[in-house]
Amino acid sequence: MFQAAVARGREAREGGGFHQHRLAPYAFISPFYLLFGFFFLAPSLIALVLSLFRWDGINDPRFVFARNYGRLVSDKVFAQAATNTAVYAIASLFIVIPLALVLAVLLNAKSLRFSSVWRAMYFTPIVTSTVAITLVFQILYDRDVGLLNAPLIYLGLEPIHWLGDRSWVKVAIIILITWRSTGLLSIYFLAGLQSIPEELYEAASIDGASTLQKLFRITIPMLRPIILFVSIIVLLSSIQIFDEIQILTNGSGGPANASMSVVQYLYVRGFTRLRLGFASAVGTVLFATVFILSLIQLQWYGVFRKED
Amino acid sequence: MRRVLTTFALLAAITLIGAALPATAQDASEVTLTMWTHDGLYVQFFSARAEEWKERHPDVDFTFEFEVVPSVFDKVLGNLAAGEEIPDLLGIEQGSFPRFMQGGIIESKFLDLTDLLADDYDLIVEGRHTPYKYQGRVYGVDSSLCGVVYYYQPSIFEERGLSVPTTWDEYLETGAILAEEGIAMSYITDHGGMFMMYLLQRGGAIFDEHGEFVLPQEENRTIAIEVLNLLKEGLDSGAIRYVPSAEVWGPAIINAYREENLVGAIMPDWYSDYILKPQAEDMSEQWRIARMPVWDEGTSHKTSVWGGTGFAVAKENENARYAWELLQYTYVTLENQIKRYEEIAYYPTMPAAFHDERIVGLEDPFYANQKTGEVFAEIVDDVPIWYQSLFRATFEQQMAAELAVFFDGSVTAEEAIDNVIVYLEDEIAFAE
């Protein structure tokens, strides 16, 4: 009986079990791909097809070919939303990332006391509800009773219309993005900083390198993968910004649409005006933009470069 | 083991049979009516009326599930898209009505009330039917008159020997005097609906009864420009204050009232109990209501309208008949229109109700016992009529954008209106 079992086992390994053996890894990773296919790939493809139709979500869709894209290109509100979104993305890349890096360097200082407390504090904006944060900022930005205007009013100066002025409303949103994102990004940078071997700095010190030289010759090159990761994360999140603007401007998109983002534009067209085909076209363009920008970033950081 | 399985099978069978039999017997006498709305006051009022109304059907055991549902219109449209059930009664805020006009949803999923209203149709002012009309048929019964008046603090005028202005010219003159002390008469924001309020009073129109875009017609375009210029004149002199739309309903305005650098607001009837009283409770007795100023030429209406919620009946629900009966009892009877004012302070849409002492004789302590109903009695017969369109939301959003640049002087009134016209025409052409 035992010998029969051994023979069956050998048969399984050498014969029919061969395919099972080869398929097993795929079976193990299949849950991810099934979920990815079901919740991302399929909806994305459906959205792509839907972008060629006019559909209110209830009645039958009507094929309009590229008409949705044509309107998108000629719509000045979309152009404005795209410009606003580009401003948020640029501000995030050039304000939030350097600020996060500086904070990380400070947090990494050996002389810093209570470093765990500081790190935890920087993490709090991420674990706090966006709605709660935005409502608090709405009060902070209030023209008459807001904290930000209090010093101006105290000094007898004209208070700023943070949410009512076409220029200031963008600044208000960038401040909110900066406050919300910098802490988390600095934690990423901190992890990168702590992985840089101390010997590199010691060797540089022996060679007489200054602090700035160490920063630009050691720290930043060694942080390259983290910078790439962080910049892609920042770019993606700033291009998809919605909640903060929607709540901060009561869904209006700010004065003269001055703060409207592309996702807010998509939301209004899709869910307020029930133009789901048109909204799908916006989503498709947004996806293509994010995809291309991410590829450019990866190329720029040399991810596709072949090692010699 | 077999005995245990047999016992379970028997129990299951008995339970199934037991559940099925009474259900068949009770279906005829047990009815659950559902209602969704965004405003708790409607739940309160409908619940009270439903308890009275059900006495008309002693053979039916009613259960009422009336509730405030967040993002109610998104949810209903989502349910319709998914083929799920929607409530028997739905309060559709007039600003969201065009969403239900898309693809004729309102016609296919909700009861046409025109014939059901029958003779009662004429009891309600026409201007409160039109916001819920689709292709000439009525699909909702409104909850309030939404007539616009001037809410003001009399002490500010009295201390300076000024009287409450009755025309726009007087308004600007009085405003200019107060502006020297940094006091504004009222405020305006970059909100398309607020602009429409002023435009309607002047006799202008955005869409006609067929949903056609009529703002480009010379008469309407001229009126729109005239209204914008009036508002700009007020802004420039300081008589009218610009407030960002994000701050309009919040504490900034109430604080300005308290500090007496803002006299009041030109707002619809719902502003009183929905905004002013809850936020400025401490200012009780410091307020009065007057008619909104009129245009000198006498060509304008005595009032305007803004807002409203029309209740519609789901057509495909099995209790549609009961839902309509309840709606008719609650909103289309004179007695209950008066009760609605008494209980939740929403003014009647029936002019006849303004002959009743319970409306015109009621003294409101917040307004130092002013009989505020008398002011509304003067305007009820002159509520402007306006029409819905699929492009209403597009108009309001584009108008809001143009208002912002007009108010800061970047464009002229003509440019602002023409920009809106061009944009709307493009959108309409795209939708065809």
Side-chain angles (χ1 to χ4, degrees), chain A residues 139 141-146 149 153 159-162, chain B residues 241-244 247 252:
Chain A
I139 298 168
Y141 287 139
D142 190 285
R143 189 188 47 165
D144 298 317
V145 296
N149 275 343
I153 294 169
I160 295 170
H161 277 229
W162 288 98
Chain B
R241 181 173 298 163
Y242 170 72
V243 176
E247 294 177 12

Short mmCIF file of all heavy atoms in Angstrom, two decimals, chain A residues 139 141-146 149 153 159-162, chain B residues 241-244 247 252:
data_model
loop_
_atom_site.label_atom_id
_atom_site.label_comp_id
_atom_site.label_asym_id
_atom_site.label_seq_id
_atom_site.Cartn_x
_atom_site.Cartn_y
_atom_site.Cartn_z
N ILE A 139 -12.56 77.51 7.48
CA ILE A 139 -12.68 78.51 8.56
C ILE A 139 -11.42 79.37 8.62
O ILE A 139 -11.49 80.58 8.78
CB ILE A 139 -12.96 77.81 9.91
CG1 ILE A 139 -14.29 77.04 9.84
CG2 ILE A 139 -12.99 78.82 11.05
CD1 ILE A 139 -14.52 76.09 10.98
N TYR A 141 -9.54 80.20 6.27
CA TYR A 141 -9.49 81.11 5.13
C TYR A 141 -10.61 82.15 5.13
O TYR A 141 -10.65 82.99 4.23
CB TYR A 141 -9.61 80.31 3.82
CG TYR A 141 -8.37 79.51 3.46
CD1 TYR A 141 -8.48 78.22 2.95
CD2 TYR A 141 -7.10 80.05 3.59
CE1 TYR A 141 -7.35 77.49 2.59
CE2 TYR A 141 -5.98 79.32 3.25
CZ TYR A 141 -6.11 78.04 2.75
OH TYR A 141 -5.00 77.33 2.40
N ASP A 142 -11.50 82.06 6.09
CA ASP A 142 -12.64 83.01 6.11
C ASP A 142 -12.11 84.44 6.09
O ASP A 142 -11.18 84.79 6.82
CB ASP A 142 -13.48 82.77 7.36
CG ASP A 142 -14.77 83.54 7.30
OD1 ASP A 142 -14.76 84.77 7.49
OD2 ASP A 142 -15.80 82.90 7.04
N ARG A 143 -12.72 85.23 5.24
CA ARG A 143 -12.22 86.60 5.05
C ARG A 143 -12.31 87.43 6.33
O ARG A 143 -11.40 88.18 6.65
CB ARG A 143 -13.02 87.28 3.94
CG ARG A 143 -12.46 88.61 3.51
CD ARG A 143 -13.38 89.29 2.57
NE ARG A 143 -14.76 89.26 3.08
CZ ARG A 143 -15.74 90.01 2.62
NH1 ARG A 143 -15.53 90.81 1.62
NH2 ARG A 143 -16.95 89.93 3.12
N ASP A 144 -13.42 87.28 7.07
CA ASP A 144 -13.63 88.16 8.22
C ASP A 144 -13.18 87.56 9.55
O ASP A 144 -12.71 88.29 10.42
CB ASP A 144 -15.12 88.54 8.31
CG ASP A 144 -15.56 89.29 7.07
OD1 ASP A 144 -14.79 90.17 6.63
OD2 ASP A 144 -16.65 89.00 6.55
N VAL A 145 -13.38 86.26 9.70
CA VAL A 145 -13.07 85.68 11.01
C VAL A 145 -11.95 84.63 10.93
O VAL A 145 -11.62 84.00 11.92
CB VAL A 145 -14.32 85.04 11.66
CG1 VAL A 145 -15.37 86.08 11.95
CG2 VAL A 145 -14.91 83.95 10.76
N GLY A 146 -11.37 84.47 9.76
CA GLY A 146 -10.33 83.45 9.58
C GLY A 146 -9.02 83.84 10.25
O GLY A 146 -8.65 85.02 10.32
N ASN A 149 -6.33 85.79 8.17
CA ASN A 149 -6.54 87.23 7.95
C ASN A 149 -6.44 88.03 9.24
O ASN A 149 -6.40 89.27 9.18
CB ASN A 149 -7.89 87.48 7.29
CG ASN A 149 -7.81 87.34 5.78
OD1 ASN A 149 -6.74 87.36 5.21
ND2 ASN A 149 -8.96 87.19 5.15
N ILE A 153 -6.03 92.11 9.56
CA ILE A 153 -7.11 92.95 10.12
C ILE A 153 -6.57 93.72 11.34
O ILE A 153 -6.85 94.91 11.50
CB ILE A 153 -8.34 92.09 10.48
CG1 ILE A 153 -8.95 91.50 9.20
CG2 ILE A 153 -9.38 92.89 11.25
CD1 ILE A 153 -10.00 90.44 9.43
N PRO A 159 -8.24 92.62 4.39
CA PRO A 159 -8.15 91.15 4.44
C PRO A 159 -8.19 90.53 3.05
O PRO A 159 -8.75 91.10 2.12
CB PRO A 159 -9.38 90.73 5.26
CG PRO A 159 -10.31 91.88 5.16
CD PRO A 159 -9.50 93.12 4.95
N ILE A 160 -7.58 89.36 2.94
CA ILE A 160 -7.52 88.67 1.64
C ILE A 160 -8.77 87.83 1.44
O ILE A 160 -9.20 87.13 2.35
CB ILE A 160 -6.26 87.78 1.58
CG1 ILE A 160 -5.00 88.64 1.63
CG2 ILE A 160 -6.26 86.90 0.33
CD1 ILE A 160 -3.71 87.85 1.82
N HIS A 161 -9.32 87.86 0.24
CA HIS A 161 -10.44 86.97 -0.13
C HIS A 161 -9.84 85.63 -0.55
O HIS A 161 -9.71 85.36 -1.74
CB HIS A 161 -11.21 87.54 -1.32
CG HIS A 161 -12.22 88.56 -0.95
ND1 HIS A 161 -13.51 88.52 -1.41
CD2 HIS A 161 -12.14 89.65 -0.17
CE1 HIS A 161 -14.16 89.57 -0.92
NE2 HIS A 161 -13.35 90.26 -0.18
N TRP A 162 -9.43 84.84 0.41
CA TRP A 162 -8.73 83.60 0.08
C TRP A 162 -9.52 82.73 -0.90
O TRP A 162 -8.96 82.15 -1.82
CB TRP A 162 -8.45 82.79 1.34
CG TRP A 162 -7.39 83.39 2.20
CD1 TRP A 162 -7.56 84.17 3.30
CD2 TRP A 162 -5.97 83.30 2.01
NE1 TRP A 162 -6.35 84.57 3.81
CE2 TRP A 162 -5.37 84.03 3.04
CE3 TRP A 162 -5.16 82.66 1.07
CZ2 TRP A 162 -3.98 84.15 3.17
CZ3 TRP A 162 -3.78 82.77 1.19
CH2 TRP A 162 -3.21 83.50 2.23
N ARG B 241 -22.56 94.60 -1.23
CA ARG B 241 -21.23 94.03 -0.96
C ARG B 241 -21.08 92.71 -1.71
O ARG B 241 -22.01 91.92 -1.77
CB ARG B 241 -21.08 93.79 0.55
CG ARG B 241 -19.73 93.22 0.95
CD ARG B 241 -19.61 93.17 2.45
NE ARG B 241 -19.69 94.50 3.02
CZ ARG B 241 -19.94 94.76 4.30
NH1 ARG B 241 -20.13 93.77 5.14
NH2 ARG B 241 -19.99 95.99 4.76
N TYR B 242 -19.87 92.50 -2.23
CA TYR B 242 -19.58 91.21 -2.86
C TYR B 242 -19.09 90.23 -1.79
O TYR B 242 -18.19 90.55 -1.00
CB TYR B 242 -18.52 91.35 -3.95
CG TYR B 242 -18.03 90.01 -4.45
CD1 TYR B 242 -18.84 89.22 -5.25
CD2 TYR B 242 -16.78 89.52 -4.07
CE1 TYR B 242 -18.42 87.97 -5.67
CE2 TYR B 242 -16.35 88.27 -4.49
CZ TYR B 242 -17.18 87.50 -5.29
OH TYR B 242 -16.76 86.26 -5.69
N VAL B 243 -19.70 89.07 -1.78
CA VAL B 243 -19.29 88.02 -0.84
C VAL B 243 -18.98 86.77 -1.67
O VAL B 243 -19.79 86.38 -2.51
CB VAL B 243 -20.43 87.71 0.16
CG1 VAL B 243 -20.06 86.56 1.07
CG2 VAL B 243 -20.77 88.94 0.97
N PRO B 244 -17.82 86.14 -1.45
CA PRO B 244 -17.52 84.92 -2.21
C PRO B 244 -18.59 83.86 -1.95
O PRO B 244 -19.11 83.76 -0.84
CB PRO B 244 -16.17 84.46 -1.64
CG PRO B 244 -15.61 85.63 -0.95
CD PRO B 244 -16.75 86.49 -0.52
N GLU B 247 -18.75 81.78 1.15
CA GLU B 247 -19.04 82.40 2.45
C GLU B 247 -20.49 82.82 2.62
O GLU B 247 -20.87 83.30 3.68
CB GLU B 247 -18.14 83.64 2.64
CG GLU B 247 -16.66 83.31 2.74
CD GLU B 247 -15.81 84.57 2.85
OE1 GLU B 247 -16.36 85.66 3.08
OE2 GLU B 247 -14.59 84.47 2.70
N ALA B 252 -19.64 84.36 8.28
CA ALA B 252 -19.13 85.69 7.92
C ALA B 252 -20.27 86.70 7.76
O ALA B 252 -20.19 87.83 8.25
CB ALA B 252 -18.32 85.60 6.63
#
